Amino acid sequence: MDTERIAENLNRVVESVRNAERKAGRKEGSVKLLAVSKFHPAEAVIAAIGAGQSAFGENRVQEAYEKFNKIYEDFPSAELHIIGTLQKNKAARAVRIASCIESVDRLGIIEELEKQCAKIDKSIDILLEYHTGEASKAGFLSYENMYEALRYCAEGNAPHIVPKGFMTMAPFTDDEIAVRKSFVSLRDASEKLQKEFPSFDLTTLSMGMSADYKIAIEEGSTEVRIGTAIFGERETAAL
Ligand SMILES: *Cc1c(COP(=O)(O)O)cnc(C)c1O
């Protein structure tokens, strides 16, 4: 683990995100950087915090729970988003450590998150993950299912759940057209659903990873999730 290397990488990524915003004619600072620290130790997260980063993404609740309980002792304002598929039996821990669950992919998980949030009287932000490419099997498979999930929330069934927008993973391919298509379909779905549910602010579009964030920013991303370009290669399989 190399503190200096992480700081350098982070500065380079932040600079590159700002450049991509400029090139795409986006407002400066309109794209948030989520540093994905899965499979990297607490010390790597602390190095990134030292270099000015505040928001992190983890995809396994158990790993995140141990790591971030330690980190919060010294850095209580660190922000954690869960970005990996969530099992119901992990929801209680997830709502305790995270401020946002980006990988909501079914109505059942919204019900469980609501139940767990109600117990500790905490509200949590969620993004609906939309399956737009073949990178993973995760995510809502259809627009209609996302509509139903938002309607469930809009009808007041989940008062502790705050829908904030959408997340997707583009296919892992060099085919730029396929990647772009995936991002465009998330943006299109988000625009339609925002019109259907004007009482929610569904403006977060979490799309773009180390390999494809520049394309994502061109297509309207408001949050990029970057791991490898900041923390280096992971030793364990990524997903
Ligand atoms: C691992 C992961 C990322 C970060 O991937 P990199 O290629 O390392 O930048 C982003 N989003 C999700 C959902 C992930 O699982």
Side-chain angles (χ1 to χ4, degrees):
M1 217 283 304
D2 182 340
T3 303
E4 240 165 74
R5 172 73 60 79
I6 290 173
E8 276 170 25
N9 288 348
L10 183 66
N11 289 334
R12 187 164 7 87
V13 168
V14 168
E15 186 58 32
S16 166
V17 167
R18 297 287 91 96
N19 271 329
E21 284 172 343
R22 215 171 300 129
K23 273 196 198 150
R26 306 275 311 277
K27 196 168 150 238
E28 177 162 0
S30 55
V31 181
K32 171 175 175 157
L33 173 62
L34 196 73
V36 177
S37 48
K38 65 187 179 194
F39 298 115
H40 294 284
E43 291 70 31
V45 174
I46 290 165
I49 292 172
Q53 178 64 21
S54 57
F56 297 88
E58 287 275 342
N59 63 349
R60 293 190 188 170
V61 173
Q62 191 53 38
E63 178 188 342
Y65 192 78
E66 285 159 21
K67 204 185 293 184
F68 276 80
N69 273 326
K70 193 163 140 194
I71 291 163
Y72 288 145
E73 285 174 17
D74 292 321
F75 304 97
S77 64
E79 177 184 335
L80 174 65
H81 295 196
I82 296 294
I83 59 174
T85 306
L86 188 59
Q87 303 305 324
K88 278 192 186 172
N89 62 4
K90 301 285 176 9
R93 290 195 154 190
V95 302
R96 280 175 171 78
I97 47 162
S99 60
C100 180
I101 312 291
E102 300 200 1
S103 39
V104 168
D105 60 357
R106 58 201 190 279
L107 184 54
I109 203 72
I110 294 179
E111 294 169 339
E112 187 63 25
L113 290 170
E114 170 58 30
K115 189 169 126 194
Q116 298 302 335
C117 281
K119 276 188 197 165
I120 58 171
D121 194 24
K122 173 181 175 175
S123 287
I124 196 153
D125 292 344
I126 63 162
L127 302 181
L128 301 189
E129 180 176 359
Y130 191 24
H131 181 92
T132 62
E134 294 306 319
S136 74
K137 292 194 179 66
F140 281 96
L141 291 177
S142 76
Y143 174 89
E144 288 70 29
N145 290 348
M146 292 201 292
Y147 179 92
E148 288 307 324
L150 288 171
R151 193 174 67 176
Y152 179 84
C153 296
E155 286 172 349
N157 297 304
H160 297 83
I161 305 297
V162 187
K164 287 286 192 183
F166 304 90
M167 184 269 258
T168 200
M169 284 171 87
F172 295 128
T173 167
D174 292 336
D175 178 0
E176 199 184 303
I177 293 172
V179 169
R180 197 176 290 279
K181 202 172 138 206
S182 161
F183 295 146
V184 169
S185 69
L186 188 71
R187 189 186 64 216
D188 285 349
S190 82
E191 285 169 359
K192 274 197 223 160
L193 288 164
Q194 177 68 83
K195 284 201 189 99
E196 296 283 355
F197 299 98
S199 66
F200 294 139
D201 174 13
L202 301 174
T203 48
T204 299
L205 280 185
S206 173
M207 55 189 202
M209 304 172 37
S210 292
D212 56 20
Y213 68 90
K214 290 176 189 161
I215 303 173
I217 290 171
E218 287 171 11
E219 296 303 341
S221 171
T222 70
E223 183 191 303
V224 290
R225 308 178 308 271
I226 297 184
T228 312
I230 297 170
F231 295 109
E233 295 292 337
R234 292 174 287 271
E235 282 176 18
T236 324
L239 301 166

